[in-house]
């Protein structure tokens, strides 16, 4: 396994459309995180999973956003009725809670991101 | 509340040493991370500190003072490829918590 992967890498959509992004974490990692990053800012936390359970959601995650990790492996992030303010880079990261695999101290490793542009 | 401060931009010369500072105010503390992010790419992990002191990893070192809420990232023998944003991030509780990131410091390495 070479790392966290995300698909698509770029998405352009019209306002009001729904979009879905996928994240495949490092295979031995049980934790998966979604962040959003806009230009000139650091990543902002959206939500995270431990295995299939969604344990925390940021107040940034409005009702239009939903995330799933049905089998504790890959995750999807869906945005309904997109708005121009949703334009950002959506980053996925994974980590291991048990000190296994690549990381130490639950280090998060990021995927390449999905850049969303809402017209 | 949570607040992480780092300088917005820095410029340094190829071959030199640069220190990027980070101060933080969080409700708790369980580790500080430094990430490097090239334009348009994902953050990549550089270092982790949870105890006071210096952690060295090749040309990169990171220092932490918990009592002062302060960290720095030291880059030695700067190379042009080190031009990137450097993100300071804090995990403010034990266990299952995400990272809180600063806005990043954009470093430009010039010849």
């Amino acid at each position: 396994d070479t790392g966290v992967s995300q698909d698509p890498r770029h998405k352009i959509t019209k306002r009001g459309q729904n979009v879905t992004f996928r994240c495949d974490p490092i295979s031995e990692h049980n934790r998966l995180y979604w962040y959003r990053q806009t230009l000139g800012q650091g990543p902002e936390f959206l939500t995270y999973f431990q295995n299939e359970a969604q344990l925390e959601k940021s107040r940034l995650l409005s009702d239009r956003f939903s995330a799933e990790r049905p089998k504790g492996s890959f995750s999807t992030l869906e945005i309904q009725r997109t708005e121009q303010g949703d334009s950002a880079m959506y980053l996925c990261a994974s980590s291991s809670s048990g000190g296994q695999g690549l990381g130490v101290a639950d280090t998060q490793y990021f995927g390449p991101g999905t850049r969303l542009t809402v017209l | 509340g949570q607040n992480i401060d780092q300088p917005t931009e820095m410029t340094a010369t190829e071959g030199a040493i640069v220190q990027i500072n980070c101060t933080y105010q969080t409700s708790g503390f369980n580790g500080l991370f430094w990430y490097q992010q090239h334009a348009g790419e994902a953050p990549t992990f550089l270092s982790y500190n949870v105890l006071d002191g210096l952690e060295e990893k090749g040309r990169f070192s990171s220092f932490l003072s918990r009592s002062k809420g302060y960290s720095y990232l030291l880059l030695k023998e700067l190379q042009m490829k080190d031009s990137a944003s450097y993100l300071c991030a804090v995990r403010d509780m034990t266990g299952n918590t995400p990272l809180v990131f600063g806005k990043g410091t954009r470093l430009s390495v010039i010849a």
Side-chain angles (χ1 to χ4, degrees):
Chain A
D1 192 302
T2 57
V4 180
S5 62
Q6 293 186 243
D7 183 71
R9 296 290 306 275
H10 302 273
K11 179 70 177 178
I12 300 174
T13 191
K14 293 182 179 179
R15 187 177 53 188
Q17 297 295 304
N18 299 343
V19 295
T20 300
F21 310 143
R22 176 180 171 125
C23 171
D24 287 88
I26 293 170
S27 59
E28 61 265 36
H29 284 181
N30 60 340
R31 290 180 177 166
L32 186 149
Y33 306 77
W34 285 99
Y35 291 84
R36 181 174 69 186
Q37 186 177 27
T38 54
L39 195 62
Q41 303 293 315
E44 296 174 294
F45 167 71
L46 293 178
T47 188
Y48 98 98
F49 295 82
Q50 177 154 315
N51 301 313
E52 66 275 10
Q54 188 173 17
L55 296 187
E56 190 172 343
K57 293 193 288 186
S58 162
R59 64 180 182 276
L60 293 176
L61 210 68
S62 75
D63 292 345
R64 297 184 298 105
F65 288 70
S66 63
E68 294 182 346
R69 195 183 183 197
K71 298 181 180 179
S73 56
F74 74 92
S75 174
T76 58
L77 177 69
E78 181 183 15
I79 309 174
Q80 296 181 327
R81 304 182 302 283
T82 52
E83 302 173 355
Q84 289 184 326
D86 297 332
S87 295
M89 175 76 89
Y90 289 84
L91 294 166
C92 175
S94 70
S95 70
S96 172
S97 62
Q100 301 164 352
L102 299 176
V104 295
D106 201 18
T107 299
Q108 294 178 32
Y109 293 88
F110 284 82
T114 295
R115 182 169 296 283
L116 173 66
T117 302
V118 182
L119 302 176
Chain B
Q2 299 169 325
N3 192 43
I4 299 177
D5 286 320
Q6 36 181 147
T8 304
E9 293 186 12
M10 298 182 72
T11 301
T13 305
E14 192 176 17
I17 299 173
V18 70
Q19 177 174 311
I20 302 174
N21 296 324
C22 171
T23 58
Y24 63 89
Q25 294 173 311
T26 54
S27 54
F29 181 82
N30 191 33
L32 185 144
F33 296 77
W34 284 95
Y35 284 82
Q36 180 191 61
Q37 187 175 28
H38 285 98
E41 297 182 10
T44 55
F45 170 69
L46 289 178
S47 69
Y48 167 73
N49 296 73
V50 67
L51 300 176
D52 291 350
L54 188 69
E55 294 284 340
E56 297 187 77
K57 192 183 294 185
R59 294 189 300 114
F60 294 74
S61 303
S62 56
F63 172 83
L64 175 67
S65 170
R66 288 173 296 170
S67 63
K68 296 181 180 178
Y70 167 70
S71 173
Y72 68 72
L73 180 69
L74 195 70
L75 291 77
K76 304 175 185 176
E77 302 169 10
L78 280 173
Q79 302 174 11
M80 301 298 284
K81 67 178 182 179
D82 296 330
S83 293
S85 285
Y86 291 85
L87 299 164
C88 174
V90 171
R91 186 166 58 208
D92 70 352
M93 290 172 63
T94 58
N96 306 342
T97 56
L99 297 176
V100 179
F101 282 86
K103 293 184 178 182
T105 298
R106 187 180 307 162
L107 174 66
S108 297
V109 179
I110 60 175

